[in-house]
Coordinates of all heavy atoms in Angstrom, one line a residue:
T522 N 9.4 -25.2 12.9 CA 10.5 -24.4 13.3 C 10.5 -23.2 12.4 O 10.5 -23.3 11.2 CB 11.8 -25.2 13.1 OG1 11.8 -26.4 13.9 CG2 13.0 -24.3 13.6
L523 N 10.4 -22.0 13.1 CA 10.4 -20.8 12.3 C 11.9 -20.2 12.4 O 12.4 -19.8 13.4 CB 9.5 -19.8 13.0 CG 9.1 -18.5 12.3 CD1 8.5 -18.8 10.9 CD2 8.1 -17.7 13.1
P524 N 12.6 -20.2 11.2 CA 14.0 -19.8 11.2 C 14.1 -18.3 11.6 O 13.2 -17.5 11.5 CB 14.4 -20.0 9.7 CG 13.4 -21.0 9.2 CD 12.1 -20.7 9.9
T525 N 15.4 -17.9 11.9 CA 15.7 -16.5 12.3 C 15.4 -15.6 11.1 O 15.5 -16.1 9.9 CB 17.1 -16.4 12.7 OG1 18.0 -16.8 11.6 CG2 17.5 -17.2 13.9
C526 N 15.1 -14.4 11.4 CA 14.9 -13.3 10.4 C 14.2 -13.9 9.1 O 14.7 -14.0 8.0 CB 16.3 -12.8 10.0 SG 16.2 -11.2 9.0
S527 N 12.9 -14.2 9.3 CA 12.2 -14.9 8.2 C 10.7 -14.5 8.2 O 10.1 -14.1 9.2 CB 12.3 -16.4 8.3 OG 11.5 -16.9 9.5
V528 N 10.2 -14.6 7.0 CA 8.7 -14.5 6.8 C 8.3 -15.8 6.1 O 8.9 -16.2 5.1 CB 8.4 -13.3 5.8 CG1 6.9 -13.2 5.7 CG2 9.0 -12.0 6.4
V529 N 7.3 -16.4 6.7 CA 6.8 -17.8 6.2 C 5.3 -17.8 5.9 O 4.6 -17.1 6.6 CB 7.1 -18.8 7.3 CG1 6.4 -20.1 7.0 CG2 8.6 -19.1 7.3
R530 N 5.0 -18.4 4.8 CA 3.5 -18.7 4.6 C 3.3 -20.2 4.5 O 4.0 -20.9 3.9 CB 3.1 -18.0 3.2 CG 1.6 -18.3 2.9 CD 1.3 -18.0 1.5 NE 1.8 -19.0 0.6 CZ 2.0 -18.9 -0.7 NH1 1.6 -17.8 -1.3 NH2 2.5 -19.8 -1.5
L531 N 2.2 -20.6 5.2 CA 1.8 -22.0 5.2 C 0.4 -22.0 4.6 O -0.5 -21.2 5.0 CB 1.8 -22.6 6.5 CG 3.1 -22.6 7.3 CD1 2.9 -23.3 8.7 CD2 4.2 -23.3 6.6
I532 N 0.1 -23.0 3.8 CA -1.3 -23.3 3.3 C -1.6 -24.7 3.7 O -0.9 -25.7 3.3 CB -1.5 -23.1 1.8 CG1 -1.1 -21.7 1.4 CG2 -2.9 -23.4 1.4 CD1 -1.2 -21.4 0.0
L533 N -2.6 -24.8 4.6 CA -3.0 -26.1 5.1 C -4.3 -26.6 4.5 O -5.2 -25.8 4.4 CB -3.2 -26.0 6.6 CG -1.9 -25.7 7.4 CD1 -2.2 -24.9 8.6 CD2 -1.1 -27.0 7.8

Side-chain angles (χ1 to χ4, degrees):
T522 302
L523 191 58
T525 57
C526 192
S527 69
V528 182
V529 165
R530 180 195 69 199
L531 302 179
I532 301 180
L533 297 148

